[in-house]
Amino acid sequence: MRTRLIDAFHRLWRELAKFGVIGAISFVIDLGGYNLLIAGPMAHKVTTAKIISGAVATAFAWVGNRFWTFRHRHNRPVHHEVFLFFAVNGVALAISAAWVAFAHYVLHAHGTLMLNVHAFIGIGLGTIFRFWAYRNVVFANEDVDGDGPEAVQERDSERNSANTAG
């Protein structure tokens, strides 16, 4: 029982760390792409620039999470997984926007610094929801053979050792 609990914790930690890396890169893609677009070809179309940069970052996040963070899980049909992924990201965006609206209209947060602080809090709340939803909804299917990638590699190593020893 204790070993299973420790293994589950290690699997959760690995997924969380990988999710964080993909999220950080997606954040850079989104913010960097947005700034490149508004400094160049979309200087007067800031909303369109944000939608484009956000869509590119979200597409990167799906690929990164599908093929790295949660690769050890059985896949759903791609169209189903993509729909769930974008639906979850839509809810996470709503959570983030709701926090910013709450901070602005209820807590009376004004000024660039305070609005940015609350935007980061909103992003954080949305990110917590995303991680939960990716694990439990989008990439929810069980691990291959019920184990994480390390357990599968360990079993393969044991089989190879047994084959070469006999």
Side-chain angles (χ1 to χ4, degrees), residues 74-129:
H74 289 291
N75 294 339
R76 297 173 188 253
V78 173
H79 68 281
H80 187 233
E81 195 173 81
V82 168
F83 172 78
L84 288 173
F85 187 86
F86 280 89
V88 162
N89 278 283
V91 171
L93 177 59
I95 290 168
S96 181
W99 178 262
V100 170
F102 172 77
H104 183 71
Y105 295 110
V106 176
L107 301 178
H108 303 290
H110 298 285
T112 304
L113 176 62
M114 288 309 295
L115 290 175
N116 276 300
V117 165
H118 286 287
F120 278 109
I121 291 170
I123 289 168
L125 294 172
T127 298
I128 291 167
F129 170 77

Side-chain angles (χ1 to χ4, degrees), residues 96-161:
S96 181
W99 178 262
V100 170
F102 172 77
H104 183 71
Y105 295 110
V106 176
L107 301 178
H108 303 290
H110 298 285
T112 304
L113 176 62
M114 288 309 295
L115 290 175
N116 276 300
V117 165
H118 286 287
F120 278 109
I121 291 170
I123 289 168
L125 294 172
T127 298
I128 291 167
F129 170 77
R130 276 187 195 97
F131 182 69
W132 174 85
Y134 290 174
R135 287 192 94 235
N136 295 296
V137 178
V138 180
F139 305 115
N141 293 341
E142 71 279 356
D143 291 338
V144 176
D145 296 329
D147 294 323
E150 289 73 20
V152 172
Q153 288 175 345
E154 185 177 319
R155 264 198 315 276
D156 290 344
S157 296
E158 289 172 3
R159 286 183 193 140
N160 291 336
S161 297

Side-chain angles (χ1 to χ4, degrees), residues 41-71:
M42 299 187 143
H44 300 292
K45 297 189 177 231
V46 294
T47 304
T48 304
K50 184 66 183 109
I51 291 168
I52 291 170
S53 68
V56 171
T58 300
F60 170 81
W62 180 79
V63 171
N65 283 303
R66 166 69 278 151
F67 295 106
W68 188 47
T69 306
F70 300 106
R71 74 173 182 249

